[in-house]
Coordinates of all heavy atoms in Angstrom, one line a residue:
M1 N -2.2 -21.5 0.7 CA -0.8 -21.1 0.7 C -0.7 -20.1 1.8 O -1.5 -19.2 2.0 CB -0.4 -20.4 -0.6 CG 0.9 -19.8 -0.6 SD 1.3 -19.0 -2.2 CE 3.0 -18.8 -2.0
N2 N 0.3 -20.1 2.6 CA 0.5 -19.2 3.7 C 1.9 -18.5 3.4 O 2.9 -19.0 3.9 CB 0.4 -19.8 5.0 CG -0.1 -18.9 6.1 OD1 0.1 -17.7 5.9 ND2 -0.6 -19.5 7.1
T3 N 1.9 -17.4 2.7 CA 3.1 -16.9 2.2 C 3.6 -15.7 2.9 O 3.2 -14.6 2.6 CB 3.0 -16.5 0.7 OG1 2.3 -17.5 0.0 CG2 4.3 -16.3 0.0
N4 N 4.4 -15.9 4.0 CA 5.1 -14.8 4.7 C 4.2 -13.7 5.1 O 4.7 -12.6 5.3 CB 6.2 -14.3 3.8 CG 7.3 -13.6 4.6 OD1 7.3 -13.7 5.8 ND2 8.1 -12.9 3.8
T5 N 3.0 -13.8 5.4 CA 2.1 -12.8 5.9 C 2.0 -13.0 7.4 O 1.0 -13.4 7.9 CB 0.8 -12.7 5.3 OG1 0.2 -14.0 5.3 CG2 0.8 -12.2 3.8
S6 N 3.1 -12.9 8.1 CA 3.2 -13.1 9.5 C 2.8 -14.5 9.8 O 2.1 -14.8 10.8 CB 2.4 -12.1 10.3 OG 2.9 -10.8 10.0
D7 N 3.1 -15.4 8.9 CA 2.7 -16.8 9.0 C 1.2 -16.9 9.2 O 0.4 -16.2 8.6 CB 3.5 -17.6 10.1 CG 5.0 -17.7 9.7 OD1 5.4 -16.7 9.0 OD2 5.6 -18.6 10.0
S8 N 0.8 -17.9 9.9 CA -0.7 -18.1 10.1 C -1.2 -17.1 11.1 O -0.8 -17.0 12.2 CB -0.8 -19.6 10.5 OG -1.9 -19.7 11.3
L9 N -2.2 -16.4 10.7 CA -2.9 -15.4 11.6 C -4.1 -16.0 12.2 O -5.0 -16.5 11.5 CB -3.2 -14.2 10.8 CG -2.1 -13.4 10.2 CD1 -2.6 -12.2 9.4 CD2 -1.2 -12.8 11.3
S10 N -4.2 -15.8 13.5 CA -5.5 -16.3 14.2 C -6.5 -15.2 14.1 O -6.2 -14.0 13.7 CB -5.2 -16.6 15.6 OG -4.9 -15.4 16.3
E11 N -7.7 -15.5 14.4 CA -8.8 -14.5 14.3 C -8.5 -13.3 15.2 O -8.8 -12.2 14.9 CB -10.1 -15.1 14.7 CG -10.6 -16.1 13.7 CD -12.0 -15.7 13.2 OE1 -12.5 -14.7 13.6 OE2 -12.4 -16.3 12.2
S12 N -7.8 -13.5 16.3 CA -7.5 -12.4 17.2 C -6.4 -11.5 16.7 O -6.2 -10.4 17.1 CB -7.1 -12.9 18.6 OG -5.9 -13.7 18.5
D13 N -5.7 -12.0 15.6 CA -4.6 -11.2 15.0 C -5.1 -10.4 13.8 O -4.4 -9.8 13.1 CB -3.5 -12.1 14.5 CG -2.8 -12.7 15.7 OD1 -2.8 -12.1 16.8 OD2 -2.2 -13.8 15.4
T14 N -6.4 -10.4 13.5 CA -7.0 -9.8 12.3 C -8.1 -8.8 12.6 O -8.7 -8.8 13.7 CB -7.5 -10.9 11.3 OG1 -8.6 -11.5 12.0 CG2 -6.5 -11.9 10.9
R15 N -8.3 -8.0 11.6 CA -9.5 -7.1 11.6 C -10.1 -7.1 10.3 O -9.5 -7.5 9.3 CB -9.0 -5.6 11.9 CG -8.6 -5.4 13.3 CD -8.5 -3.9 13.5 NE -7.3 -3.5 14.2 CZ -6.9 -2.3 14.3 NH1 -7.6 -1.3 13.8 NH2 -5.8 -2.0 14.9
E16 N -11.4 -6.7 10.2 CA -12.1 -6.7 9.0 C -11.9 -5.4 8.2 O -11.8 -4.3 8.8 CB -13.6 -6.8 9.3 CG -14.2 -8.0 8.8 CD -15.7 -8.1 9.1 OE1 -16.5 -7.4 8.4 OE2 -16.0 -8.9 10.0
V17 N -11.8 -5.5 6.9 CA -11.7 -4.4 6.0 C -12.7 -4.6 4.9 O -12.9 -5.6 4.4 CB -10.3 -4.3 5.4 CG1 -10.2 -3.2 4.4 CG2 -9.2 -4.2 6.5
S18 N -13.4 -3.5 4.6 CA -14.4 -3.5 3.5 C -13.7 -3.2 2.2 O -12.9 -2.2 2.1 CB -15.5 -2.5 3.8 OG -16.2 -2.9 4.9
L19 N -14.0 -4.0 1.2 CA -13.5 -3.7 -0.2 C -14.6 -3.6 -1.1 O -15.6 -4.2 -1.0 CB -12.6 -4.9 -0.6 CG -11.3 -5.2 0.1 CD1 -10.7 -6.5 -0.4 CD2 -10.4 -4.1 -0.1
P20 N -14.4 -2.7 -2.2 CA -15.4 -2.6 -3.2 C -15.7 -4.0 -3.8 O -14.7 -4.8 -4.0 CB -14.9 -1.6 -4.2 CG -13.9 -0.8 -3.4 CD -13.3 -1.8 -2.4
V21 N -16.9 -4.3 -4.2 CA -17.3 -5.6 -4.8 C -16.4 -5.9 -6.1 O -16.0 -7.0 -6.2 CB -18.8 -5.6 -5.1 CG1 -19.1 -6.9 -5.9 CG2 -19.6 -5.5 -3.8
H22 N -16.2 -4.9 -6.9 CA -15.5 -5.1 -8.1 C -14.0 -5.5 -7.9 O -13.5 -6.4 -8.6 CB -15.5 -3.9 -9.1 CG -14.7 -2.7 -8.6 ND1 -15.1 -1.8 -7.7 CD2 -13.4 -2.4 -9.0 CE1 -14.1 -0.9 -7.5 NE2 -13.1 -1.2 -8.3
I23 N -13.4 -5.1 -6.8 CA -12.1 -5.5 -6.5 C -12.1 -6.9 -5.9 O -11.3 -7.8 -6.3 CB -11.4 -4.6 -5.4 CG1 -11.2 -3.2 -6.1 CG2 -10.1 -5.1 -4.9 CD1 -10.6 -2.1 -5.2
L24 N -13.0 -7.2 -5.1 CA -13.1 -8.6 -4.5 C -13.4 -9.6 -5.6 O -12.9 -10.7 -5.6 CB -14.2 -8.6 -3.4 CG -14.3 -9.9 -2.6 CD1 -12.9 -10.3 -2.0 CD2 -15.3 -9.8 -1.5
D25 N -14.3 -9.2 -6.6 CA -14.6 -10.1 -7.7 C -13.3 -10.4 -8.5 O -13.0 -11.5 -8.9 CB -15.6 -9.4 -8.7 CG -17.0 -9.4 -8.1 OD1 -17.2 -10.2 -7.1 OD2 -17.8 -8.7 -8.6
R26 N -12.4 -9.4 -8.7 CA -11.2 -9.6 -9.4 C -10.3 -10.5 -8.7 O -9.6 -11.4 -9.2 CB -10.5 -8.2 -9.7 CG -11.2 -7.4 -10.7 CD -10.6 -6.0 -10.8 NE -9.2 -6.0 -11.3 CZ -8.4 -5.0 -11.2 NH1 -8.9 -3.8 -10.8 NH2 -7.2 -5.1 -11.6
I27 N -10.2 -10.3 -7.3 CA -9.4 -11.2 -6.5 C -9.8 -12.6 -6.6 O -9.1 -13.5 -6.8 CB -9.3 -10.7 -5.0 CG1 -8.6 -9.3 -4.9 CG2 -8.7 -11.7 -4.1 CD1 -8.8 -8.6 -3.6
E28 N -11.1 -12.8 -6.4 CA -11.7 -14.2 -6.4 C -11.5 -14.8 -7.8 O -11.3 -16.0 -7.9 CB -13.2 -14.1 -6.0 CG -13.3 -13.8 -4.5 CD -14.8 -13.6 -4.1 OE1 -15.7 -13.4 -5.0 OE2 -15.0 -13.5 -2.9
G29 N -11.5 -14.0 -8.9 CA -11.2 -14.5 -10.2 C -9.8 -15.0 -10.4 O -9.5 -15.9 -11.2
R30 N -8.9 -14.4 -9.6 CA -7.5 -14.8 -9.7 C -7.1 -16.0 -8.8 O -6.1 -16.6 -9.0 CB -6.6 -13.6 -9.3 CG -6.7 -12.4 -10.3 CD -5.6 -11.4 -10.0 NE -4.3 -12.0 -10.1 CZ -3.6 -12.2 -11.2 NH1 -4.2 -12.0 -12.4 NH2 -2.4 -12.7 -11.2
L31 N -7.9 -16.3 -7.8 CA -7.6 -17.3 -6.8 C -7.3 -18.7 -7.5 O -6.3 -19.3 -7.1 CB -8.7 -17.5 -5.8 CG -8.7 -16.4 -4.7 CD1 -9.9 -16.7 -3.7 CD2 -7.4 -16.4 -3.9
P32 N -8.1 -19.1 -8.4 CA -7.8 -20.4 -9.1 C -6.4 -20.5 -9.8 O -5.9 -21.6 -9.9 CB -8.9 -20.6 -10.1 CG -10.0 -19.7 -9.6 CD -9.3 -18.5 -8.9
R33 N -5.9 -19.3 -10.2 CA -4.6 -19.3 -10.9 C -3.5 -18.9 -9.9 O -2.4 -18.5 -10.4 CB -4.7 -18.3 -12.0 CG -5.7 -18.7 -13.1 CD -5.7 -17.8 -14.3 NE -5.8 -16.3 -13.9 CZ -7.0 -15.7 -13.8 NH1 -8.1 -16.3 -14.0 NH2 -7.0 -14.4 -13.5
S34 N -3.8 -19.0 -8.6 CA -2.7 -18.6 -7.7 C -2.5 -19.7 -6.7 O -3.2 -20.8 -6.8 CB -3.2 -17.3 -6.9 OG -4.2 -17.6 -5.9
N35 N -1.6 -19.5 -5.8 CA -1.3 -20.5 -4.7 C -2.0 -20.2 -3.4 O -1.7 -20.8 -2.4 CB 0.2 -20.6 -4.5 CG 1.0 -21.1 -5.6 OD1 0.5 -22.0 -6.4 ND2 2.1 -20.6 -5.9
F36 N -3.0 -19.2 -3.5 CA -3.7 -18.8 -2.3 C -5.0 -19.6 -2.2 O -5.6 -19.9 -3.2 CB -3.9 -17.3 -2.3 CG -2.7 -16.5 -2.3 CD1 -2.2 -16.0 -3.5 CD2 -2.0 -16.3 -1.1 CE1 -1.0 -15.3 -3.5 CE2 -0.8 -15.5 -1.1 CZ -0.3 -15.1 -2.3
D37 N -5.3 -19.9 -0.9 CA -6.6 -20.7 -0.7 C -7.8 -19.8 -0.5 O -8.9 -20.1 -0.8 CB -6.4 -21.5 0.6 CG -5.3 -22.6 0.4 OD1 -5.2 -23.1 -0.7 OD2 -4.7 -22.9 1.4
T38 N -7.5 -18.5 0.0 CA -8.6 -17.6 0.3 C -8.3 -16.2 -0.2 O -7.1 -15.9 -0.4 CB -8.9 -17.5 1.8 OG1 -7.8 -16.9 2.4 CG2 -9.2 -18.9 2.4
S39 N -9.3 -15.4 -0.4 CA -9.1 -14.0 -0.8 C -8.4 -13.3 0.3 O -7.7 -12.4 0.1 CB -10.4 -13.4 -1.2 OG -11.4 -13.5 -0.2
D40 N -8.7 -13.6 1.6 CA -8.0 -13.0 2.7 C -6.5 -13.2 2.6 O -5.7 -12.2 2.8 CB -8.5 -13.6 4.0 CG -9.9 -13.2 4.4 OD1 -10.4 -12.2 3.7 OD2 -10.5 -13.8 5.3
E41 N -6.1 -14.4 2.3 CA -4.6 -14.7 2.1 C -4.0 -13.9 1.0 O -2.9 -13.3 1.1 CB -4.4 -16.2 1.9 CG -4.6 -17.0 3.1 CD -4.3 -18.5 2.7 OE1 -4.0 -18.8 1.6 OE2 -4.5 -19.3 3.6
Y42 N -4.8 -13.8 -0.1 CA -4.3 -13.1 -1.3 C -4.1 -11.6 -1.0 O -3.1 -11.0 -1.3 CB -5.3 -13.3 -2.4 CG -4.9 -12.7 -3.7 CD1 -4.2 -13.4 -4.7 CD2 -5.2 -11.4 -4.1 CE1 -3.8 -12.9 -5.9 CE2 -4.8 -10.8 -5.3 CZ -4.1 -11.6 -6.2 OH -3.7 -11.0 -7.4
V43 N -5.2 -11.0 -0.4 CA -5.1 -9.6 0.0 C -4.0 -9.3 1.0 O -3.3 -8.3 0.8 CB -6.5 -9.1 0.5 CG1 -6.4 -7.7 1.1 CG2 -7.6 -9.2 -0.6
A44 N -3.9 -10.1 2.0 CA -2.8 -9.9 3.0 C -1.4 -9.9 2.3 O -0.6 -9.1 2.6 CB -2.9 -10.9 4.1
Y45 N -1.2 -10.8 1.4 CA 0.1 -10.9 0.7 C 0.3 -9.7 -0.2 O 1.4 -9.1 -0.1 CB 0.1 -12.2 -0.2 CG 1.4 -12.3 -1.0 CD1 2.5 -12.7 -0.4 CD2 1.4 -11.9 -2.3 CE1 3.7 -12.8 -1.2 CE2 2.5 -12.0 -3.1 CZ 3.7 -12.4 -2.5 OH 4.9 -12.5 -3.2
V46 N -0.7 -9.3 -0.9 CA -0.5 -8.1 -1.8 C -0.2 -6.9 -1.0 O 0.7 -6.1 -1.3 CB -1.7 -7.9 -2.7 CG1 -1.7 -6.6 -3.4 CG2 -1.8 -9.1 -3.7
L47 N -1.0 -6.7 0.1 CA -0.7 -5.5 1.0 C 0.7 -5.6 1.6 O 1.3 -4.5 1.7 CB -1.8 -5.4 2.0 CG -3.2 -5.0 1.5 CD1 -4.2 -5.1 2.6 CD2 -3.1 -3.6 0.9
E48 N 1.1 -6.7 2.1 CA 2.4 -6.8 2.6 C 3.5 -6.4 1.6 O 4.4 -5.7 1.9 CB 2.7 -8.3 3.1 CG 2.0 -8.7 4.3 CD 2.8 -8.2 5.6 OE1 3.9 -7.7 5.5 OE2 2.2 -8.3 6.7
E49 N 3.3 -6.9 0.4 CA 4.3 -6.5 -0.7 C 4.3 -5.0 -1.0 O 5.4 -4.4 -1.1 CB 3.9 -7.3 -2.0 CG 4.2 -8.8 -1.9 CD 5.7 -9.1 -1.8 OE1 6.5 -8.5 -2.6 OE2 6.1 -9.8 -0.9
V50 N 3.1 -4.5 -1.1 CA 3.0 -3.0 -1.4 C 3.6 -2.2 -0.3 O 4.4 -1.3 -0.5 CB 1.6 -2.6 -1.7 CG1 1.5 -1.1 -1.8 CG2 1.1 -3.2 -3.0
L51 N 3.2 -2.5 1.0 CA 3.8 -1.8 2.1 C 5.3 -1.9 2.3 O 6.0 -1.0 2.6 CB 3.1 -2.3 3.4 CG 1.6 -1.8 3.5 CD1 1.0 -2.5 4.7 CD2 1.5 -0.3 3.7
S52 N 5.8 -3.1 2.0 CA 7.2 -3.3 2.1 C 7.9 -2.4 1.1 O 8.9 -1.8 1.4 CB 7.5 -4.8 1.8 OG 8.9 -5.0 1.8
R53 N 7.4 -2.3 -0.1 CA 8.0 -1.5 -1.2 C 8.0 0.0 -0.8 O 8.9 0.8 -1.0 CB 7.4 -1.7 -2.5 CG 7.7 -3.1 -3.1 CD 7.1 -3.3 -4.4 NE 7.3 -4.7 -4.8 CZ 6.8 -5.2 -5.8 NH1 6.0 -4.5 -6.6 NH2 7.0 -6.5 -6.1
V54 N 6.8 0.4 -0.2 CA 6.7 1.8 0.2 C 7.6 2.1 1.3 O 8.3 3.2 1.3 CB 5.2 2.1 0.5 CG1 5.1 3.4 1.2 CG2 4.3 2.0 -0.7
E55 N 7.7 1.2 2.3 CA 8.5 1.5 3.5 C 10.0 1.4 3.1 O 10.8 2.1 3.8 CB 8.2 0.5 4.6 CG 6.8 0.7 5.1 CD 6.3 -0.5 6.0 OE1 6.9 -1.5 6.0 OE2 5.3 -0.3 6.6
D56 N 10.4 0.7 2.1 CA 11.8 0.6 1.7 C 12.2 1.8 0.8 O 13.4 2.0 0.7 CB 12.0 -0.7 0.9 CG 12.0 -1.9 1.8 OD1 12.1 -1.8 3.0 OD2 11.9 -3.1 1.2
A57 N 11.2 2.5 0.3 CA 11.6 3.7 -0.5 C 12.4 4.6 0.3 O 12.1 4.9 1.5 CB 10.3 4.3 -1.0
S58 N 13.4 5.2 -0.3 CA 14.2 6.1 0.5 C 13.5 7.4 0.8 O 12.9 8.0 0.0 CB 15.5 6.4 -0.4 OG 16.2 7.4 0.2
D59 N 13.7 7.8 2.1 CA 13.1 9.1 2.5 C 13.9 10.2 1.9 O 13.4 11.4 1.8 CB 13.2 9.2 4.0 CG 12.1 8.3 4.7 OD1 11.1 8.0 4.1 OD2 12.4 8.0 5.9
D60 N 15.1 10.0 1.4 CA 15.9 11.0 0.8 C 15.2 11.6 -0.4 O 15.4 12.8 -0.7 CB 17.3 10.5 0.4 CG 18.1 10.1 1.6 OD1 17.8 10.6 2.7 OD2 19.0 9.2 1.4
E61 N 14.4 10.8 -1.1 CA 13.7 11.3 -2.3 C 12.8 12.5 -1.9 O 12.6 13.4 -2.7 CB 12.9 10.2 -2.9 CG 13.6 9.1 -3.5 CD 12.7 8.0 -4.0 OE1 11.6 8.2 -4.3 OE2 13.2 6.8 -4.0
Y62 N 12.2 12.4 -0.8 CA 11.3 13.4 -0.3 C 11.9 14.6 0.3 O 11.4 15.7 0.3 CB 10.2 12.8 0.6 CG 9.5 11.6 -0.1 CD1 9.8 10.3 0.3 CD2 8.6 11.8 -1.1 CE1 9.2 9.3 -0.3 CE2 8.0 10.8 -1.8 CZ 8.3 9.5 -1.3 OH 7.7 8.4 -2.0
E63 N 13.1 14.4 0.9 CA 13.8 15.5 1.6 C 14.7 16.3 0.7 O 15.2 17.3 1.1 CB 14.6 14.8 2.8 CG 13.8 14.2 3.9 CD 14.6 13.6 4.9 OE1 15.9 13.7 4.9 OE2 14.0 12.9 5.8
S64 N 14.8 15.9 -0.5 CA 15.7 16.6 -1.4 C 15.1 17.9 -2.0 O 15.7 18.5 -2.8 CB 16.1 15.7 -2.6 OG 15.0 15.3 -3.4
V65 N 13.9 18.2 -1.6 CA 13.2 19.4 -2.1 C 13.9 20.6 -1.4 O 14.1 20.7 -0.2 CB 11.7 19.4 -1.7 CG1 11.1 20.7 -2.1 CG2 11.0 18.2 -2.3
D66 N 14.2 21.6 -2.2 CA 14.8 22.8 -1.8 C 13.8 23.7 -1.1 O 12.8 24.1 -1.8 CB 15.5 23.5 -3.0 CG 16.2 24.8 -2.6 OD1 16.3 25.1 -1.4 OD2 16.7 25.5 -3.5
E67 N 13.9 24.0 0.1 CA 12.9 24.8 0.9 C 12.8 26.2 0.2 O 11.7 26.7 0.2 CB 13.3 24.9 2.3 CG 13.1 23.6 3.1 CD 13.4 23.8 4.6 OE1 13.0 24.9 5.1 OE2 14.0 22.9 5.2
R68 N 13.9 26.8 -0.2 CA 13.8 28.1 -0.8 C 13.0 28.0 -2.1 O 12.2 29.0 -2.4 CB 15.2 28.6 -1.1 CG 15.9 29.1 0.1 CD 17.3 29.4 -0.2 NE 18.0 28.1 -0.4 CZ 19.2 28.0 -0.7 NH1 20.0 29.0 -0.9 NH2 19.7 26.8 -0.9
E69 N 13.1 27.0 -2.8 CA 12.3 26.8 -4.1 C 10.8 26.7 -3.8 O 10.0 27.3 -4.4 CB 12.8 25.6 -4.8 CG 12.2 25.3 -6.2 CD 12.7 24.1 -6.9 OE1 13.9 23.8 -6.7 OE2 11.9 23.4 -7.5
V70 N 10.5 25.9 -2.7 CA 9.1 25.8 -2.3 C 8.6 27.1 -1.9 O 7.5 27.5 -2.3 CB 9.0 24.7 -1.2 CG1 7.6 24.7 -0.7 CG2 9.4 23.3 -1.8
E71 N 9.3 27.8 -1.0 CA 8.9 29.1 -0.5 C 8.7 30.1 -1.7 O 7.7 30.8 -1.7 CB 9.9 29.7 0.4 CG 9.5 30.9 1.2 CD 10.4 31.3 2.2 OE1 10.9 30.4 3.0 OE2 10.7 32.5 2.3
S72 N 9.6 30.1 -2.6 CA 9.4 31.0 -3.8 C 8.2 30.6 -4.6 O 7.5 31.5 -5.0 CB 10.7 30.9 -4.7 OG 10.5 31.5 -5.9
R73 N 8.0 29.4 -4.8 CA 6.8 29.0 -5.5 C 5.5 29.3 -4.8 O 4.5 29.8 -5.4 CB 6.8 27.4 -5.7 CG 5.7 26.9 -6.6 CD 5.8 27.3 -8.0 NE 4.8 26.7 -8.8 CZ 4.1 27.2 -9.7 NH1 4.4 28.5 -10.1 NH2 3.1 26.6 -10.3
L74 N 5.5 29.1 -3.5 CA 4.3 29.5 -2.7 C 4.0 31.0 -2.8 O 2.9 31.4 -2.8 CB 4.4 29.0 -1.3 CG 4.3 27.5 -1.0 CD1 4.7 27.1 0.4 CD2 2.9 27.0 -1.4
K75 N 5.1 31.8 -2.7 CA 5.0 33.2 -2.8 C 4.4 33.6 -4.2 O 3.5 34.5 -4.3 CB 6.3 33.9 -2.6 CG 6.7 34.0 -1.2 CD 8.0 34.7 -1.0 CE 8.5 34.7 0.5 NZ 9.8 35.3 0.6
S76 N 4.9 33.0 -5.3 CA 4.4 33.3 -6.6 C 3.0 32.9 -6.8 O 2.3 33.5 -7.6 CB 5.3 32.6 -7.7 OG 5.1 31.2 -7.7
L77 N 2.5 32.0 -6.1 CA 1.1 31.6 -6.1 C 0.2 32.3 -5.2 O -1.0 32.2 -5.2 CB 1.0 30.0 -5.8 CG 1.6 29.1 -6.8 CD1 1.6 27.7 -6.3 CD2 0.8 29.2 -8.2
G78 N 0.8 33.2 -4.4 CA 0.0 34.1 -3.5 C -0.3 33.4 -2.2 O -1.1 34.0 -1.4
Y79 N 0.3 32.3 -1.8 CA 0.1 31.7 -0.6 C 0.9 32.3 0.6 O 0.6 32.1 1.7 CB 0.3 30.2 -0.6 CG -0.7 29.5 -1.5 CD1 -0.4 29.0 -2.7 CD2 -2.0 29.3 -1.1 CE1 -1.3 28.3 -3.5 CE2 -3.0 28.7 -1.9 CZ -2.6 28.2 -3.1 OH -3.5 27.6 -3.9
M80 N 2.0 32.9 0.2 CA 2.9 33.5 1.2 C 3.2 34.9 0.8 O 3.2 35.3 -0.4 CB 4.2 32.7 1.3 CG 4.1 31.4 1.9 SD 5.6 30.5 2.0 CE 6.5 31.4 3.2
E81 N 3.6 35.8 1.7 CA 4.0 37.1 1.4 C 5.5 37.3 1.6 O 6.1 36.6 2.3 CB 3.2 38.1 2.3 CG 1.7 38.1 2.0 CD 1.0 39.1 2.8 OE1 1.6 40.0 3.5 OE2 -0.2 39.1 2.7

């Protein structure tokens, strides 16, 4: 299955990533129950999905912190004077 991971990637479009054996074992165990032909395709798809969700998250969530509140907290913890 080649599911929207920048379509078909050639070797020159890829890099190697090391994964812990226990994660790779879990991925390989799921392959027969998926539409993916290889663990590389599965991992690429999952990472695309996760990255898409993270990138789509609103930056407003992180900017809504009140700077005065943070400064007050840092002072109370002794990090600022």
Side-chain angles (χ1 to χ4, degrees):
M1 174 182 195
N2 211 335
T3 318
N4 199 15
T5 52
S6 301
D7 292 32
S8 147
L9 296 175
S10 69
E11 291 242 354
S12 63
D13 293 334
T14 64
R15 286 198 225 169
E16 244 179 76
V17 174
S18 297
L19 294 174
V21 172
H22 73 277
I23 292 175
L24 190 53
D25 288 345
R26 289 173 62 192
I27 292 167
E28 289 172 349
R30 295 192 56 80
L31 283 178
R33 297 183 309 270
S34 75
N35 294 325
F36 298 97
D37 296 326
T38 67
S39 55
D40 290 345
E41 288 178 0
Y42 186 93
V43 170
Y45 176 78
V46 169
L47 288 174
E48 284 279 350
E49 288 295 308
V50 170
L51 288 171
S52 177
R53 290 179 187 175
V54 169
E55 291 167 351
D56 288 345
S58 172
D59 288 336
D60 295 338
E61 293 175 27
Y62 304 105
E63 293 176 9
S64 66
V65 175
D66 182 5
E67 287 184 39
R68 287 172 287 180
E69 185 179 326
V70 171
E71 188 173 316
S72 172
R73 183 71 176 139
L74 289 173
K75 283 180 182 177
S76 73
L77 293 170
Y79 292 108
M80 293 179 68
E81 292 182 9

